[in-house]
Amino acid sequence: MVDGLVMRYADKTAVDGLSLTVESGSITAVLGPNGAGKTTTLETCEGYRRPQGGSVRVLGLDPVRDRRELLPRIGVMLQGQGAWSGVKAEEMLRHVARLHANPLPVGELVERLSLHECGRTPYRRLSGGQQQRLGLAMALVGRPELVFVDEPTAGMDPAARRTTWELLRELRDSGVTVVLTTHYLEEAERLADRVHIIDKGRMVASGTTEELTRGSSATVRLVVDRELSDDAEAALRVAVGGWSSDHGIGLESIDFASRTLEDVFLEVTGRGLEEETHD
């Protein structure tokens, strides 16, 4: 739980009184444009930074004061992964496994995340997607109750991305709590039970994907109790075309797609995930 968190760098406020809660046994996505404060928030939850204001509790513990007690219970997938440049991928995973009292079988993780294809390759020679898979395996090998995954599928091919999604869902279903950051809004939309969107260090939207994408003053929606057949959809297009003609409105297109998380993100932040903040 994050309650009123404040974090500053010199005269810049990175996190401005932020509060959020992560439900046990869920996948929670924390989203925001670059510079919005999400990385600082998660690093504070992971115990790498001490709160300058407010409080943070993870599994009921203070991430800084109770760090020795907390570390065996969490897994962290870092952006830089934390592997040595010359170490072979499987060697690194086995080393991390030996640091835990009851690790997962390394061979199962190697097989599940297709690391056998690069297990004897030095870390510096791994592709971006392979480094991500190794980083995820390192975060999971200790059987964490809570895992923080930062951009888990960046650089992965579609097959590896689907495998990772399946694995994260299985973790959630087994009771593990997953906190996810990603630049792929589709990934958050497919995986997350709850989404927190932060901007300029503040919460700007929070809820399930369904709650966040429901309704909009700029959207005209027709809600029906069953899927439209091709004939029904064609008739609707004709009817809407007649209405636009009667009112002198040029009809460029009709989109039957649902409102997406990307639509919401752009609405509440005014910019995309890749854009920098200018505070």
Side-chain angles (χ1 to χ4, degrees), residues 83-89 121-128 130-131 134:
W84 304 306
S85 174
V87 72
K88 294 176 182 177
T121 303
Y123 180 78
R124 65 175 177 273
R125 294 182 181 171
L126 298 178
S127 69
Q130 290 169 336
Q131 290 181 359
L134 175 60

mmCIF file of all heavy atoms in Angstrom, residues 83-89 121-128 130-131 134:
data_model
loop_
_atom_site.group_PDB
_atom_site.id
_atom_site.type_symbol
_atom_site.label_atom_id
_atom_site.label_comp_id
_atom_site.label_asym_id
_atom_site.label_seq_id
_atom_site.Cartn_x
_atom_site.Cartn_y
_atom_site.Cartn_z
ATOM 1 N N ALA A 83 22.204 -8.948 -14.290
ATOM 2 C CA ALA A 83 23.107 -10.055 -14.628
ATOM 3 C C ALA A 83 24.471 -9.508 -15.023
ATOM 4 O O ALA A 83 24.578 -8.407 -15.559
ATOM 5 C CB ALA A 83 22.519 -10.890 -15.760
ATOM 6 N N TRP A 84 25.510 -10.296 -14.758
ATOM 7 C CA TRP A 84 26.856 -9.895 -15.133
ATOM 8 C C TRP A 84 27.065 -10.065 -16.629
ATOM 9 O O TRP A 84 26.533 -10.994 -17.249
ATOM 10 C CB TRP A 84 27.878 -10.735 -14.370
ATOM 11 C CG TRP A 84 27.702 -10.664 -12.896
ATOM 12 C CD1 TRP A 84 27.650 -9.540 -12.117
ATOM 13 C CD2 TRP A 84 27.505 -11.770 -11.998
ATOM 14 N NE1 TRP A 84 27.442 -9.871 -10.810
ATOM 15 C CE2 TRP A 84 27.350 -11.219 -10.694
ATOM 16 C CE3 TRP A 84 27.441 -13.154 -12.156
ATOM 17 C CZ2 TRP A 84 27.147 -12.019 -9.568
ATOM 18 C CZ3 TRP A 84 27.248 -13.948 -11.047
ATOM 19 C CH2 TRP A 84 27.108 -13.386 -9.773
ATOM 20 N N SER A 85 27.880 -9.214 -17.211
ATOM 21 C CA SER A 85 28.046 -9.186 -18.663
ATOM 22 C C SER A 85 28.507 -10.513 -19.236
ATOM 23 O O SER A 85 28.006 -10.973 -20.256
ATOM 24 C CB SER A 85 29.043 -8.076 -19.037
ATOM 25 O OG SER A 85 29.332 -8.104 -20.411
ATOM 26 N N GLY A 86 29.484 -11.165 -18.583
ATOM 27 C CA GLY A 86 30.071 -12.368 -19.160
ATOM 28 C C GLY A 86 29.458 -13.672 -18.702
ATOM 29 O O GLY A 86 29.818 -14.738 -19.215
ATOM 30 N N VAL A 87 28.523 -13.628 -17.768
ATOM 31 C CA VAL A 87 27.961 -14.860 -17.225
ATOM 32 C C VAL A 87 27.014 -15.502 -18.233
ATOM 33 O O VAL A 87 26.319 -14.820 -18.983
ATOM 34 C CB VAL A 87 27.215 -14.582 -15.899
ATOM 35 C CG1 VAL A 87 25.917 -13.833 -16.145
ATOM 36 C CG2 VAL A 87 26.955 -15.869 -15.138
ATOM 37 N N LYS A 88 27.011 -16.825 -18.269
ATOM 38 C CA LYS A 88 26.095 -17.540 -19.154
ATOM 39 C C LYS A 88 24.707 -17.529 -18.530
ATOM 40 O O LYS A 88 24.544 -17.548 -17.311
ATOM 41 C CB LYS A 88 26.581 -18.959 -19.386
ATOM 42 C CG LYS A 88 27.893 -19.001 -20.159
ATOM 43 C CD LYS A 88 28.426 -20.407 -20.296
ATOM 44 C CE LYS A 88 29.773 -20.407 -21.034
ATOM 45 N NZ LYS A 88 30.345 -21.772 -21.122
ATOM 46 N N ALA A 89 23.691 -17.508 -19.400
ATOM 47 C CA ALA A 89 22.315 -17.302 -18.941
ATOM 48 C C ALA A 89 21.898 -18.327 -17.892
ATOM 49 O O ALA A 89 21.381 -17.976 -16.824
ATOM 50 C CB ALA A 89 21.363 -17.351 -20.144
ATOM 51 N N THR A 121 24.934 -19.106 -23.562
ATOM 52 C CA THR A 121 25.362 -17.850 -24.200
ATOM 53 C C THR A 121 25.641 -16.791 -23.136
ATOM 54 O O THR A 121 24.835 -16.611 -22.214
ATOM 55 C CB THR A 121 24.261 -17.339 -25.147
ATOM 56 O OG1 THR A 121 23.963 -18.352 -26.109
ATOM 57 C CG2 THR A 121 24.702 -16.058 -25.850
ATOM 58 N N PRO A 122 26.782 -16.066 -23.229
ATOM 59 C CA PRO A 122 27.047 -14.981 -22.270
ATOM 60 C C PRO A 122 25.942 -13.925 -22.329
ATOM 61 O O PRO A 122 25.396 -13.646 -23.400
ATOM 62 C CB PRO A 122 28.386 -14.409 -22.746
ATOM 63 C CG PRO A 122 29.033 -15.532 -23.497
ATOM 64 C CD PRO A 122 27.904 -16.272 -24.155
ATOM 65 N N TYR A 123 25.660 -13.343 -21.188
ATOM 66 C CA TYR A 123 24.559 -12.394 -21.087
ATOM 67 C C TYR A 123 24.676 -11.267 -22.111
ATOM 68 O O TYR A 123 23.688 -10.881 -22.731
ATOM 69 C CB TYR A 123 24.504 -11.811 -19.671
ATOM 70 C CG TYR A 123 23.386 -10.826 -19.475
ATOM 71 C CD1 TYR A 123 22.082 -11.262 -19.278
ATOM 72 C CD2 TYR A 123 23.617 -9.454 -19.509
ATOM 73 C CE1 TYR A 123 21.036 -10.367 -19.117
ATOM 74 C CE2 TYR A 123 22.583 -8.546 -19.346
ATOM 75 C CZ TYR A 123 21.296 -9.011 -19.147
ATOM 76 O OH TYR A 123 20.271 -8.118 -18.996
ATOM 77 N N ARG A 124 25.873 -10.737 -22.298
ATOM 78 C CA ARG A 124 26.044 -9.588 -23.199
ATOM 79 C C ARG A 124 25.688 -9.928 -24.639
ATOM 80 O O ARG A 124 25.441 -9.028 -25.446
ATOM 81 C CB ARG A 124 27.480 -9.050 -23.121
ATOM 82 C CG ARG A 124 28.539 -10.008 -23.629
ATOM 83 C CD ARG A 124 29.930 -9.373 -23.629
ATOM 84 N NE ARG A 124 30.956 -10.306 -24.057
ATOM 85 C CZ ARG A 124 31.600 -11.145 -23.253
ATOM 86 N NH1 ARG A 124 31.296 -11.152 -21.962
ATOM 87 N NH2 ARG A 124 32.529 -11.955 -23.724
ATOM 88 N N ARG A 125 25.676 -11.220 -24.979
ATOM 89 C CA ARG A 125 25.373 -11.628 -26.352
ATOM 90 C C ARG A 125 23.914 -12.041 -26.539
ATOM 91 O O ARG A 125 23.514 -12.403 -27.650
ATOM 92 C CB ARG A 125 26.285 -12.788 -26.766
ATOM 93 C CG ARG A 125 27.761 -12.388 -26.843
ATOM 94 C CD ARG A 125 28.617 -13.535 -27.300
ATOM 95 N NE ARG A 125 30.031 -13.170 -27.353
ATOM 96 C CZ ARG A 125 31.024 -14.025 -27.565
ATOM 97 N NH1 ARG A 125 30.737 -15.314 -27.744
ATOM 98 N NH2 ARG A 125 32.268 -13.611 -27.593
ATOM 99 N N LEU A 126 23.131 -11.997 -25.477
ATOM 100 C CA LEU A 126 21.717 -12.333 -25.604
ATOM 101 C C LEU A 126 20.969 -11.220 -26.322
ATOM 102 O O LEU A 126 21.313 -10.044 -26.190
ATOM 103 C CB LEU A 126 21.102 -12.545 -24.217
ATOM 104 C CG LEU A 126 21.661 -13.668 -23.356
ATOM 105 C CD1 LEU A 126 20.942 -13.686 -22.006
ATOM 106 C CD2 LEU A 126 21.532 -15.012 -24.053
ATOM 107 N N SER A 127 19.932 -11.595 -27.050
ATOM 108 C CA SER A 127 19.057 -10.580 -27.636
ATOM 109 C C SER A 127 18.264 -9.898 -26.531
ATOM 110 O O SER A 127 18.201 -10.385 -25.386
ATOM 111 C CB SER A 127 18.095 -11.232 -28.634
ATOM 112 O OG SER A 127 17.158 -12.055 -27.940
ATOM 113 N N GLY A 128 17.619 -8.792 -26.871
ATOM 114 C CA GLY A 128 16.808 -8.094 -25.880
ATOM 115 C C GLY A 128 15.708 -8.968 -25.306
ATOM 116 O O GLY A 128 15.465 -8.979 -24.093
ATOM 117 N N GLN A 130 15.687 -12.286 -25.132
ATOM 118 C CA GLN A 130 16.286 -13.321 -24.292
ATOM 119 C C GLN A 130 16.674 -12.758 -22.926
ATOM 120 O O GLN A 130 16.498 -13.421 -21.895
ATOM 121 C CB GLN A 130 17.502 -13.917 -24.992
ATOM 122 C CG GLN A 130 17.152 -14.765 -26.205
ATOM 123 C CD GLN A 130 18.361 -15.128 -27.041
ATOM 124 O OE1 GLN A 130 19.394 -14.445 -27.024
ATOM 125 N NE2 GLN A 130 18.241 -16.210 -27.813
ATOM 126 N N GLN A 131 17.197 -11.547 -22.898
ATOM 127 C CA GLN A 131 17.522 -10.913 -21.620
ATOM 128 C C GLN A 131 16.265 -10.720 -20.777
ATOM 129 O O GLN A 131 16.297 -10.913 -19.551
ATOM 130 C CB GLN A 131 18.215 -9.569 -21.859
ATOM 131 C CG GLN A 131 19.615 -9.696 -22.424
ATOM 132 C CD GLN A 131 20.291 -8.349 -22.637
ATOM 133 O OE1 GLN A 131 19.700 -7.289 -22.370
ATOM 134 N NE2 GLN A 131 21.521 -8.360 -23.125
ATOM 135 N N LEU A 134 15.286 -14.100 -19.306
ATOM 136 C CA LEU A 134 16.170 -14.446 -18.187
ATOM 137 C C LEU A 134 15.835 -13.611 -16.961
ATOM 138 O O LEU A 134 15.771 -14.124 -15.836
ATOM 139 C CB LEU A 134 17.634 -14.237 -18.584
ATOM 140 C CG LEU A 134 18.660 -14.449 -17.455
ATOM 141 C CD1 LEU A 134 18.584 -15.874 -16.910
ATOM 142 C CD2 LEU A 134 20.066 -14.129 -17.950
#
